[in-house]
Coordinates of all heavy atoms in Angstrom, one line a residue:
M1 N 9.4 -4.7 -51.2 CA 8.4 -3.8 -51.8 C 8.2 -4.1 -53.3 O 9.1 -4.6 -53.9 CB 8.9 -2.3 -51.7 CG 9.1 -1.9 -50.2 SD 7.7 -1.6 -49.3 CE 7.2 0.0 -49.8
E2 N 7.0 -4.0 -53.6 CA 6.5 -4.3 -55.0 C 6.0 -3.1 -55.7 O 5.4 -2.3 -55.0 CB 5.5 -5.5 -55.1 CG 5.9 -6.8 -54.3 CD 6.8 -7.6 -55.2 OE1 7.1 -7.3 -56.4 OE2 7.1 -8.8 -54.8
K3 N 6.2 -3.0 -57.0 CA 5.6 -1.9 -57.8 C 4.1 -2.3 -58.1 O 3.8 -3.4 -58.5 CB 6.5 -1.7 -59.1 CG 7.6 -0.9 -58.9 CD 8.4 -0.7 -60.2 CE 7.6 0.2 -61.2 NZ 7.8 1.6 -61.0
Y4 N 3.4 -1.3 -58.0 CA 1.9 -1.4 -58.4 C 1.5 -0.4 -59.3 O 2.0 0.8 -59.3 CB 1.0 -1.4 -57.1 CG 1.2 -2.6 -56.2 CD1 2.2 -2.7 -55.3 CD2 0.3 -3.6 -56.3 CE1 2.3 -3.7 -54.4 CE2 0.4 -4.7 -55.5 CZ 1.4 -4.8 -54.5 OH 1.6 -5.8 -53.7
C5 N 0.5 -0.6 -60.1 CA -0.2 0.4 -61.0 C -1.7 0.1 -60.9 O -2.2 -1.0 -60.5 CB 0.3 0.4 -62.3 SG -0.4 -0.9 -63.4
V6 N -2.4 1.2 -61.3 CA -3.9 1.0 -61.5 C -4.3 1.2 -62.9 O -3.6 2.1 -63.7 CB -4.7 2.0 -60.6 CG1 -4.3 3.4 -60.9 CG2 -6.2 1.8 -60.6
N7 N -5.3 0.4 -63.4 CA -5.6 0.5 -64.8 C -6.5 1.8 -64.9 O -7.4 1.9 -64.1 CB -6.4 -0.7 -65.2 CG -6.5 -0.8 -66.8 OD1 -6.7 0.2 -67.5 ND2 -6.7 -2.1 -67.3
K8 N -6.2 2.7 -65.9 CA -7.0 3.9 -66.1 C -8.3 3.6 -66.7 O -9.3 4.4 -66.6 CB -6.1 4.9 -67.0 CG -5.0 5.5 -66.3 CD -4.2 6.4 -67.3 CE -3.0 6.9 -66.7 NZ -2.2 7.7 -67.8
E9 N -8.5 2.5 -67.3 CA -9.6 2.1 -68.0 C -10.4 0.9 -67.2 O -9.7 0.2 -66.6 CB -9.3 1.5 -69.4 CG -8.7 2.6 -70.2 CD -8.4 2.3 -71.7 OE1 -9.1 1.4 -72.1 OE2 -7.6 2.9 -72.2
T10 N -11.6 0.7 -67.5 CA -12.4 -0.2 -66.7 C -13.0 -1.3 -67.7 O -13.6 -2.2 -67.3 CB -13.6 0.4 -66.0 OG1 -14.4 1.1 -66.8 CG2 -13.0 1.4 -64.9
K11 N -12.7 -1.1 -69.0 CA -13.4 -2.1 -70.0 C -13.0 -3.6 -69.8 O -13.8 -4.4 -70.3 CB -13.1 -1.6 -71.4 CG -11.6 -1.6 -71.8 CD -11.4 -1.1 -73.2 CE -10.0 -0.8 -73.6 NZ -9.0 -1.7 -73.3
D12 N -11.8 -3.8 -69.2 CA -11.4 -5.2 -68.9 C -12.1 -5.8 -67.7 O -11.9 -7.0 -67.4 CB -10.0 -5.3 -68.8 CG -9.2 -4.9 -70.1 OD1 -9.9 -5.2 -71.3 OD2 -8.0 -4.5 -70.1
N13 N -12.7 -4.9 -66.9 CA -13.4 -5.5 -65.6 C -14.9 -5.5 -65.8 O -15.5 -4.5 -66.0 CB -12.9 -4.5 -64.6 CG -13.4 -5.0 -63.1 OD1 -14.5 -4.9 -62.8 ND2 -12.5 -5.6 -62.5
P14 N -15.5 -6.7 -65.6 CA -17.0 -6.9 -65.7 C -17.7 -6.0 -64.7 O -18.8 -5.8 -64.9 CB -17.1 -8.3 -65.4 CG -15.9 -8.8 -64.7 CD -14.7 -8.0 -65.1
K15 N -17.1 -5.6 -63.6 CA -17.8 -4.8 -62.6 C -17.6 -3.3 -62.7 O -18.1 -2.4 -62.0 CB -17.5 -5.3 -61.3 CG -17.7 -6.7 -60.9 CD -19.3 -6.9 -60.8 CE -19.5 -8.3 -60.2 NZ -20.9 -8.7 -60.1
G16 N -16.8 -2.9 -63.8 CA -16.5 -1.5 -64.0 C -15.5 -1.0 -63.0 O -15.5 0.3 -62.7
N17 N -14.7 -1.8 -62.4 CA -13.8 -1.3 -61.4 C -12.4 -1.1 -62.1 O -12.0 -1.6 -63.2 CB -13.4 -2.4 -60.3 CG -14.6 -2.6 -59.4 OD1 -15.2 -1.7 -58.9 ND2 -15.1 -3.9 -59.2
H18 N -11.6 -0.2 -61.5 CA -10.2 0.0 -62.0 C -9.4 -1.0 -61.2 O -9.3 -1.1 -59.9 CB -9.7 1.4 -61.5 CG -10.5 2.6 -62.3 ND1 -10.0 3.0 -63.5 CD2 -11.5 3.3 -62.0 CE1 -10.8 4.0 -64.0 NE2 -11.8 4.1 -63.1
E19 N -8.8 -1.9 -62.0 CA -8.0 -2.9 -61.3 C -6.5 -2.5 -61.0 O -5.8 -1.9 -61.8 CB -7.9 -4.1 -62.4 CG -9.1 -4.9 -62.5 CD -9.0 -6.1 -63.5 OE1 -8.0 -6.2 -64.2 OE2 -9.8 -6.9 -63.3
V20 N -6.1 -2.9 -59.8 CA -4.8 -2.6 -59.3 C -3.9 -3.9 -59.7 O -4.4 -5.0 -59.3 CB -4.7 -2.3 -57.8 CG1 -3.4 -2.5 -57.2 CG2 -5.5 -1.0 -57.5
H21 N -2.8 -3.7 -60.2 CA -1.9 -4.8 -60.6 C -0.6 -4.6 -59.9 O 0.0 -3.5 -59.8 CB -1.8 -4.8 -62.1 CG -3.0 -5.2 -62.8 ND1 -3.5 -6.4 -63.0 CD2 -3.9 -4.4 -63.4 CE1 -4.7 -6.4 -63.7 NE2 -4.9 -5.1 -63.9
K22 N 0.1 -5.8 -59.7 CA 1.5 -5.9 -59.2 C 2.4 -6.0 -60.5 O 2.1 -6.8 -61.4 CB 1.6 -7.0 -58.2 CG 3.0 -7.1 -57.5 CD 2.9 -7.9 -56.2 CE 2.6 -9.3 -56.4 NZ 2.6 -10.1 -55.2
K23 N 3.5 -5.5 -60.4 CA 4.5 -5.6 -61.5 C 4.8 -7.2 -61.7 O 5.0 -7.8 -60.8 CB 5.8 -4.9 -61.1 CG 6.8 -4.9 -62.3 CD 6.4 -3.8 -63.3 CE 7.5 -3.8 -64.4 NZ 7.0 -2.8 -65.5
G24 N 4.6 -7.5 -63.0 CA 4.9 -8.9 -63.4 C 3.7 -9.7 -63.8 O 3.7 -10.6 -64.3
C25 N 2.5 -9.0 -63.4 CA 1.2 -9.6 -63.7 C 1.1 -9.6 -65.2 O 1.4 -8.7 -66.0 CB 0.1 -8.8 -63.1 SG -1.5 -9.5 -63.5
H26 N 0.5 -10.6 -65.8 CA 0.4 -10.8 -67.3 C -0.8 -9.8 -67.7 O -0.9 -9.5 -68.9 CB 0.0 -12.2 -67.7 CG -1.4 -12.7 -67.3 ND1 -1.6 -13.1 -65.9 CD2 -2.5 -12.9 -67.8 CE1 -2.8 -13.5 -65.8 NE2 -3.4 -13.4 -67.0
K27 N -1.5 -9.2 -66.8 CA -2.6 -8.2 -67.1 C -2.2 -6.8 -66.9 O -2.9 -5.9 -67.0 CB -3.9 -8.6 -66.3 CG -4.6 -9.9 -67.0 CD -5.9 -10.0 -66.3 CE -7.0 -9.0 -66.8 NZ -8.2 -9.1 -66.2
W28 N -0.9 -6.7 -66.5 CA -0.3 -5.3 -66.3 C -0.6 -4.4 -67.4 O -0.3 -4.6 -68.5 CB 1.3 -5.4 -66.0 CG 2.0 -4.2 -65.8 CD1 2.5 -3.4 -66.8 CD2 2.2 -3.5 -64.5 NE1 3.1 -2.2 -66.2 CE2 2.9 -2.4 -64.8 CE3 2.0 -3.8 -63.3 CZ2 3.4 -1.5 -63.8 CZ3 2.4 -3.0 -62.2 CH2 3.1 -1.9 -62.5
P29 N -1.3 -3.2 -67.3 CA -1.7 -2.3 -68.4 C -0.5 -1.5 -68.8 O 0.2 -1.0 -68.1 CB -2.8 -1.5 -67.8 CG -2.5 -1.5 -66.3 CD -1.9 -2.9 -66.0
E30 N -0.4 -1.4 -70.1 CA 0.7 -0.7 -70.7 C 0.6 0.8 -70.3 O 1.6 1.5 -70.2 CB 0.7 -0.8 -72.3 CG 1.2 -2.2 -72.6 CD 1.4 -2.2 -74.1 OE1 1.3 -1.3 -74.8 OE2 1.5 -3.4 -74.7
N31 N -0.7 1.4 -70.3 CA -0.8 2.8 -70.0 C -1.5 3.0 -68.6 O -2.1 4.0 -68.3 CB -1.7 3.4 -71.0 CG -3.1 2.9 -71.0 OD1 -3.3 1.8 -70.5 ND2 -4.0 3.6 -71.6
G32 N -1.2 2.1 -67.7 CA -1.6 2.3 -66.3 C -1.0 3.5 -65.6 O 0.1 3.9 -66.0
E33 N -1.7 3.9 -64.5 CA -1.1 5.0 -63.7 C -0.2 4.2 -62.5 O -0.7 3.5 -61.8 CB -2.2 5.7 -63.1 CG -1.6 6.8 -62.2 CD -2.6 8.1 -62.1 OE1 -3.8 8.1 -62.8 OE2 -2.2 9.1 -61.5
D34 N 1.1 4.8 -62.5 CA 2.0 4.3 -61.5 C 1.5 4.6 -60.0 O 1.2 5.9 -59.9 CB 3.4 4.7 -61.8 CG 4.4 4.2 -60.9 OD1 4.2 3.1 -60.5 OD2 5.4 5.0 -60.5
L35 N 1.4 3.7 -59.2 CA 1.1 3.9 -57.8 C 2.3 4.0 -56.9 O 2.2 4.4 -55.8 CB 0.1 2.9 -57.3 CG -1.2 2.9 -58.0 CD1 -2.0 1.6 -57.5 CD2 -2.0 4.1 -57.8
G36 N 3.5 3.5 -57.3 CA 4.7 3.5 -56.5 C 4.8 2.1 -55.9 O 4.3 1.1 -56.3
E37 N 5.7 2.0 -54.8 CA 6.0 0.7 -54.3 C 5.3 0.6 -52.9 O 5.3 1.4 -52.1 CB 7.4 0.6 -54.1 CG 8.2 0.6 -55.4 CD 9.6 0.3 -55.2 OE1 10.0 0.1 -54.2 OE2 10.3 0.1 -56.2
F38 N 4.8 -0.7 -52.7 CA 4.1 -1.0 -51.5 C 4.5 -2.3 -51.0 O 4.8 -3.2 -51.7 CB 2.5 -0.9 -51.5 CG 2.0 0.4 -52.1 CD1 2.0 0.9 -53.4 CD2 1.7 1.4 -51.1 CE1 1.5 2.1 -53.7 CE2 1.4 2.6 -51.4 CZ 1.3 3.0 -52.8
A39 N 4.3 -2.6 -49.7 CA 4.6 -3.9 -49.1 C 3.5 -4.9 -49.5 O 3.9 -6.1 -49.6 CB 4.6 -3.7 -47.5
D40 N 2.3 -4.5 -49.7 CA 1.2 -5.4 -50.2 C 0.2 -4.5 -50.9 O 0.3 -3.3 -51.0 CB 0.6 -6.1 -49.0 CG 0.0 -5.2 -47.9 OD1 -0.7 -4.2 -48.4 OD2 0.2 -5.4 -46.7
C41 N -0.9 -5.3 -51.5 CA -1.8 -4.7 -52.3 C -2.7 -3.7 -51.7 O -3.3 -2.8 -52.2 CB -2.7 -5.7 -53.0 SG -3.6 -6.8 -52.0
H42 N -2.8 -3.9 -50.3 CA -3.8 -3.0 -49.5 C -3.4 -1.5 -49.7 O -4.2 -0.6 -49.8 CB -4.0 -3.3 -48.1 CG -4.4 -4.8 -47.9 ND1 -5.8 -5.1 -48.1 CD2 -3.9 -6.0 -47.7 CE1 -6.0 -6.4 -48.1 NE2 -4.9 -7.0 -47.7
G43 N -2.1 -1.2 -49.5 CA -1.6 0.1 -49.6 C -1.8 0.7 -51.0 O -2.0 1.8 -51.2
A44 N -1.6 -0.2 -52.1 CA -1.7 0.2 -53.4 C -3.2 0.6 -53.7 O -3.4 1.6 -54.5 CB -1.2 -0.9 -54.3
V45 N -4.1 -0.3 -53.3 CA -5.5 0.1 -53.5 C -5.8 1.4 -52.8 O -6.6 2.3 -53.4 CB -6.4 -1.0 -52.9 CG1 -7.9 -0.6 -52.9 CG2 -6.2 -2.3 -53.8
Q46 N -5.3 1.6 -51.6 CA -5.7 2.9 -51.0 C -5.2 4.1 -51.7 O -5.7 5.1 -51.7 CB -5.1 2.9 -49.4 CG -5.4 4.1 -48.6 CD -7.1 4.3 -48.7 OE1 -7.8 3.4 -48.2 NE2 -7.5 5.4 -48.9
K47 N -3.9 3.9 -52.3 CA -3.3 4.9 -53.0 C -4.2 5.2 -54.3 O -4.4 6.5 -54.6 CB -1.8 4.6 -53.5 CG -1.2 5.6 -54.3 CD -1.0 6.9 -53.6 CE -0.3 7.9 -54.5 NZ 1.2 7.8 -54.6
A48 N -4.6 4.3 -54.9 CA -5.5 4.4 -56.0 C -6.7 5.3 -55.7 O -7.1 6.2 -56.4 CB -5.9 3.1 -56.7
K49 N -7.3 5.0 -54.6 CA -8.5 5.7 -54.1 C -8.1 7.2 -53.7 O -8.9 8.1 -54.1 CB -9.2 5.0 -52.9 CG -9.7 3.7 -53.2 CD -10.3 2.9 -52.0 CE -11.0 1.6 -52.3 NZ -11.5 0.9 -51.2
D50 N -7.0 7.3 -53.2 CA -6.5 8.7 -52.9 C -6.3 9.6 -54.2 O -6.5 10.8 -54.1 CB -5.2 8.7 -52.1 CG -5.4 8.1 -50.6 OD1 -6.5 8.1 -50.2 OD2 -4.3 7.8 -50.0
L51 N -6.0 8.9 -55.3 CA -5.8 9.5 -56.5 C -7.1 9.9 -57.2 O -7.2 10.6 -58.2 CB -4.9 8.6 -57.5 CG -3.4 8.5 -57.0 CD1 -2.7 7.5 -57.9 CD2 -2.8 9.8 -57.1
G52 N -8.1 9.3 -56.6 CA -9.5 9.7 -57.2 C -10.2 8.7 -57.9 O -11.3 8.8 -58.4
Y53 N -9.7 7.4 -57.9 CA -10.4 6.3 -58.6 C -11.4 5.7 -57.5 O -10.9 5.2 -56.4 CB -9.4 5.2 -58.9 CG -8.5 5.5 -60.0 CD1 -7.2 6.1 -59.8 CD2 -8.9 5.5 -61.4 CE1 -6.3 6.5 -60.7 CE2 -8.1 5.8 -62.4 CZ -6.7 6.4 -62.1 OH -5.9 6.7 -63.2
S54 N -12.6 6.0 -57.7 CA -13.6 5.5 -56.7 C -14.0 4.0 -56.6 O -14.2 3.5 -55.6 CB -15.0 6.4 -56.8 OG -15.5 6.1 -58.1
K55 N -14.0 3.5 -57.8 CA -14.2 2.1 -57.9 C -12.9 1.3 -58.2 O -12.4 1.3 -59.3 CB -15.3 1.7 -58.9 CG -16.6 2.1 -58.6 CD -17.6 2.0 -59.7 CE -17.8 0.5 -60.2 NZ -18.8 -0.3 -59.2
V56 N -12.4 0.7 -57.1 CA -11.0 0.1 -57.3 C -11.2 -1.3 -56.8 O -11.8 -1.6 -55.7 CB -10.0 0.8 -56.5 CG1 -8.7 0.2 -56.6 CG2 -9.9 2.4 -56.9
D57 N -10.5 -2.3 -57.4 CA -10.5 -3.7 -57.0 C -9.1 -4.3 -57.4 O -8.5 -4.0 -58.3 CB -11.7 -4.5 -57.6 CG -12.0 -5.8 -56.9 OD1 -11.7 -5.9 -55.6 OD2 -12.5 -6.8 -57.4
G58 N -8.7 -5.2 -56.5 CA -7.4 -5.8 -56.8 C -7.6 -6.9 -58.0 O -8.7 -7.5 -58.0
C59 N -6.6 -7.0 -58.7 CA -6.5 -8.0 -59.8 C -6.7 -9.4 -59.2 O -6.0 -9.8 -58.2 CB -5.3 -7.9 -60.6 SG -5.0 -9.2 -61.8
V60 N -7.6 -10.3 -59.8 CA -7.8 -11.6 -59.1 C -6.5 -12.4 -59.3 O -6.2 -13.4 -58.5 CB -9.0 -12.3 -59.9 CG1 -8.6 -12.5 -61.4 CG2 -9.3 -13.6 -59.2
H61 N -5.6 -12.2 -60.2 CA -4.4 -12.9 -60.5 C -3.3 -12.5 -59.6 O -2.7 -13.4 -59.0 CB -4.0 -12.7 -62.0 CG -5.1 -13.2 -62.9 ND1 -5.3 -14.6 -63.2 CD2 -5.8 -12.5 -63.8 CE1 -6.3 -14.7 -64.0 NE2 -6.6 -13.4 -64.4
C62 N -3.0 -11.2 -59.5 CA -1.8 -10.8 -58.8 C -2.1 -10.2 -57.4 O -1.2 -10.0 -56.6 CB -1.0 -9.8 -59.6 SG -1.9 -8.3 -60.0
C63 N -3.3 -9.8 -57.2 CA -3.7 -9.1 -55.9 C -4.8 -9.9 -55.3 O -5.9 -9.2 -55.0 CB -4.0 -7.8 -56.1 SG -2.7 -6.8 -56.8
P64 N -4.8 -11.3 -55.2 CA -6.0 -11.9 -54.7 C -6.5 -11.5 -53.3 O -7.7 -11.6 -53.0 CB -5.6 -13.4 -54.7 CG -4.1 -13.4 -54.6 CD -3.7 -12.1 -55.5
D65 N -5.5 -11.0 -52.4 CA -6.0 -10.5 -51.1 C -6.9 -9.3 -51.2 O -7.6 -8.9 -50.2 CB -4.8 -10.2 -50.3 CG -4.0 -11.5 -49.8 OD1 -4.6 -12.6 -50.0 OD2 -2.9 -11.3 -49.2
C66 N -6.7 -8.5 -52.3 CA -7.5 -7.3 -52.5 C -8.5 -7.5 -53.6 O -9.3 -6.5 -53.9 CB -6.6 -6.2 -52.9 SG -5.4 -5.8 -51.5
H67 N -8.9 -8.7 -54.0 CA -9.9 -8.8 -54.9 C -11.2 -9.1 -54.2 O -11.3 -10.1 -53.5 CB -9.5 -10.1 -55.8 CG -10.6 -10.4 -56.8 ND1 -10.9 -9.6 -58.0 CD2 -11.4 -11.5 -56.9 CE1 -11.8 -10.2 -58.6 NE2 -12.2 -11.3 -58.1
N68 N -12.2 -8.3 -54.5 CA -13.4 -8.4 -53.7 C -14.6 -8.8 -54.6 O -15.5 -9.3 -54.1 CB -13.7 -7.1 -53.0 CG -12.7 -6.7 -52.0 OD1 -12.5 -7.6 -51.1 ND2 -12.2 -5.6 -52.0
E69 N -14.6 -8.4 -55.9 CA -15.6 -8.7 -56.8 C -15.3 -9.0 -58.2 O -14.1 -8.8 -58.5 CB -16.8 -7.7 -56.7 CG -16.3 -6.3 -57.1 CD -17.4 -5.2 -57.0 OE1 -18.4 -5.5 -56.3 OE2 -17.3 -4.3 -57.8
Ligands
ZN101 ZN1 -2.9 -8.4 -62.1

């Protein structure tokens, strides 16, 4: 299991998405919202959506399987 978080801000994402990151990513946000631990990025992205983040995308670096745009 890996720790994931979602960026509360969208200014770093050209599409205006909230990026989901895995612990250890060099783009891990200092003030991100903790999502908990998941076996893969798909669960983390779903958790972020459940928390109310409507536009969510996986980080291209640490969550390539969940990176859509
Ligand atoms: Zn990342």
